[in-house]
Amino acid sequence: MRYRLGMLTLEQARDAILAEVTPSASTQTVSLAQAHGRFAAQELHAQVDNPAFDNSAMDGYAVRAADLVAAGFALPLRGECRCGDAPGKLAAGTTMRIFTGAPMPEGADTIVIQEDVKFEDNRVIFPKSAQPGSHLRRRGEDFRRGDTLYRPGRKLSAYDLALLSAAGVAEIPVYPRARVLVAATGDELVAPGTPLQPGQIYESNRLATLLLLRELGMDAVDGGTVRDDPAALRAWLQSSTDYDFVITSGGASVGDHDLVKQVFAEIGEIKFWKAKIKPGKPIAFGRVGTRTHFFALPGNPVSSLVTFKLFVEPALIAWHHGASHLPQLAATAANDFRRHPGRTEFLRARIVAEGGKLVATALRGQGSHMLGPLRETNGFIRVEADSAGFQQGESVVVIPLSTEF
Ligand code: AMP
Ligand code: MG
């Protein structure tokens, strides 16, 4: 794709990014515990059958169903089989005590649960209702040795790793964590801890970006704050080419001091720099050198947050060979929202689950410089480009940022 001056729609911009991302070529092998949140780099196969052997699903008595009928539902007790025992043999015409997970003794085909039996004259008395074949877990009924459990690009959760552990997988080839350098740009930015001089503000985007990256499992590196000075920006960018991604905030627009885009264009190749979204219209994406993907995100804190979610996250997932999708759910609007159609808009919203259904409130204070509503924000309401808004009670599309509704 060539340098584009025109504004891309949200979908065009996402497609352009995904088409441009060069996925990681290298892999590394890590232990199961280290693989949490990492992306599998190969197909992962079961090393064993699960269950590994026929076993009892309950505490009870193992029998041969035919013996039950032949002996009038009363059998002498011979032996016991616990978890970890090697499978023994059920002597003909007897029953064996057995516990949940213990291997079925050879010859047994049925478990009768302990609550259903009585004891009389040294014999175990079984109910006539005992069903042949009941309370058994069959070898391989869950998965079989050699089965493909996961494909490359799967982000591994705690449950996935539990499954892989049960399947006898000890080590997992994963893609390395993307190395991501994050910087803020702007002469007005200072760190909290020092009093503000006239014209200064406290910096906030860099911290949020670093922490969101770490939540996603990235190797995020703090690149500090770079001044609005072409030479400083140039030097900084030129020293950043051994990162997989570089993310800046601020200076991405067209003002005289919006130098980030200019310097990116000079040193790298900008693929696009405007998307028809609100907030976050000025966002530049491209490459520096052969390795580094860059995002110049807008400086306004809310714009930076929205563009991170819409564009940076899918790019990072694609770099790890994963398939990303933006979760978009239906909700009922709790209030009215009016606007001029034009751009796809993302409203900060409070989403709650009421009686199993989602209800979304567009929060007051949608200015892209306003951080206050973030206290209540747990998602966005998506307003389509041609929409003039919505009314209370109408269905809207929401993008949850968390599942704490
Ligand atoms: P810019 O995109 O550089 O024109 O910045 C747009 C607005 O966002 C300005 O009001 C900046 O002061 C503010 N801003 C830029 N970078 C940051 C940052 N890292 N943290 C907080 N506000 C910022
Ligand atoms: Mg600036």
Side-chain angles (χ1 to χ4, degrees):
M1 171 174 289
R2 306 213 43 85
Y3 179 68
R4 291 225 200 171
L5 288 173
M7 242 201 281
L8 304 193
T9 64
L10 171 70
E11 274 70 27
Q12 286 170 337
R14 283 169 64 94
D15 289 350
I17 290 169
L18 294 181
E20 185 59 29
V21 168
T22 309
S24 166
S26 62
T27 67
Q28 59 184 143
T29 298
V30 298
S31 71
L32 283 183
Q34 289 170 330
H36 190 207
R38 307 291 298 270
F39 293 80
Q42 277 178 21
E43 278 194 355
L44 302 175
H45 299 113
Q47 304 299 302
V48 291
D49 292 343
N50 193 50
F53 45 84
D54 291 350
N55 68 80
S56 175
M58 301 292 278
D59 291 341
Y61 294 84
V63 298
R64 200 179 271 110
D67 287 356
L68 273 188
V69 179
F73 292 87
L75 296 170
L77 182 62
R78 292 278 183 284
E80 179 177 283
C81 185
R82 303 188 205 179
C83 284
D85 287 347
K89 200 170 170 179
L90 182 70
T94 72
T95 181
M96 193 185 279
R97 182 82 170 110
I98 194 164
F99 299 93
T100 306
M104 283 298 278
E106 201 184 307
D109 57 19
T110 300
I111 301 292
V112 181
I113 63 173
Q114 61 191 22
E115 293 84 342
D116 286 353
V117 307
K118 289 184 296 195
F119 297 91
E120 251 171 42
D121 306 330
N122 286 327
R123 289 187 315 166
V124 185
I125 312 298
F126 294 93
K128 303 234 165 16
S129 58
Q131 289 294 317
S134 55
H135 306 303
L136 280 190
R137 300 163 170 174
R138 296 277 182 204
R139 174 175 184 160
E141 71 179 5
D142 186 11
F143 52 78
R144 293 194 169 275
R145 180 189 161 98
D147 280 357
T148 301
L149 299 175
Y150 295 99
R151 299 196 185 278
R154 170 73 176 226
K155 188 173 189 183
L156 298 166
S157 71
Y159 294 116
D160 295 330
L161 292 160
L163 195 169
L164 287 162
S165 187
V169 176
E171 289 186 318
I172 302 188
V174 294
Y175 294 109
R177 298 177 193 279
R179 277 174 51 75
V180 188
L181 183 67
V182 178
T185 72
D187 287 342
E188 74 282 27
L189 305 174
V190 291
T194 43
L196 291 178
Q197 302 301 317
Q200 292 185 331
I201 65 165
Y202 290 127
E203 196 282 317
S204 58
N205 296 343
R206 184 171 46 119
L207 180 65
T209 305
L210 280 167
L211 298 179
L212 290 171
L213 287 167
R214 288 182 189 144
E215 272 177 23
L216 286 171
M218 306 298 140
D219 178 6
V221 176
D222 186 353
T225 295
V226 188
R227 298 183 54 77
D228 286 326
D229 164 43
L233 278 166
R234 216 173 275 127
W236 180 83
L237 192 57
Q238 272 161 343
S239 67
S240 309
T241 48
D242 57 344
Y243 287 87
D244 301 305
F245 286 82
V246 168
I247 304 174
T248 60
S249 72
S253 198
V254 288
D256 289 348
H257 301 286
D258 288 328
L259 301 164
V260 175
K261 198 187 104 237
Q262 294 171 29
V263 171
F264 268 141
E266 189 187 309
I267 295 176
E269 193 192 350
I270 292 185
K271 298 293 170 185
F272 71 86
W273 64 276
K274 270 200 235 167
K276 231 171 139 186
I277 59 167
K278 184 182 178 186
K281 182 169 78 172
I283 169 199
F285 167 74
R287 302 286 283 247
V288 185
T290 50
R291 170 167 177 179
T292 311
H293 309 77
F294 74 74
F295 283 97
L297 304 186
N300 275 308
V302 178
S303 313
S304 145
L305 178 71
V306 169
T307 49
F308 184 92
K309 182 76 191 166
L310 297 179
F311 300 122
V312 179
E313 233 183 72
L316 291 166
I317 292 170
W319 187 88
H320 293 86
H321 299 246
S324 71
H325 69 285
L326 203 56
Q328 308 199 60
L329 306 175
T332 304
N335 51 1
D336 296 349
F337 177 77
R338 290 277 118 215
R339 64 158 212 161
H340 294 295
R343 293 186 266 163
T344 306
E345 185 162 1
F346 296 87
L347 303 173
R348 277 170 296 160
R350 178 85 203 154
I351 306 168
V352 294
E354 283 175 9
K357 301 219 160 148
L358 300 182
V359 176
T361 303
L363 297 170
R364 286 173 63 84
Q366 292 288 342
S368 59
H369 61 297
M370 293 176 149
L371 289 125
L374 290 179
R375 279 169 296 189
E376 291 179 273
T377 302
N378 63 355
F380 300 124
I381 295 174
R382 173 179 173 151
V383 186
E384 297 305 328
D386 59 2
S387 162
F390 49 81
Q391 290 186 330
Q392 183 186 355
E394 276 181 20
S395 183
V396 289
V397 171
V398 294
I399 297 169
L401 290 173
S402 94
T403 48
E404 287 169 24
F405 297 138

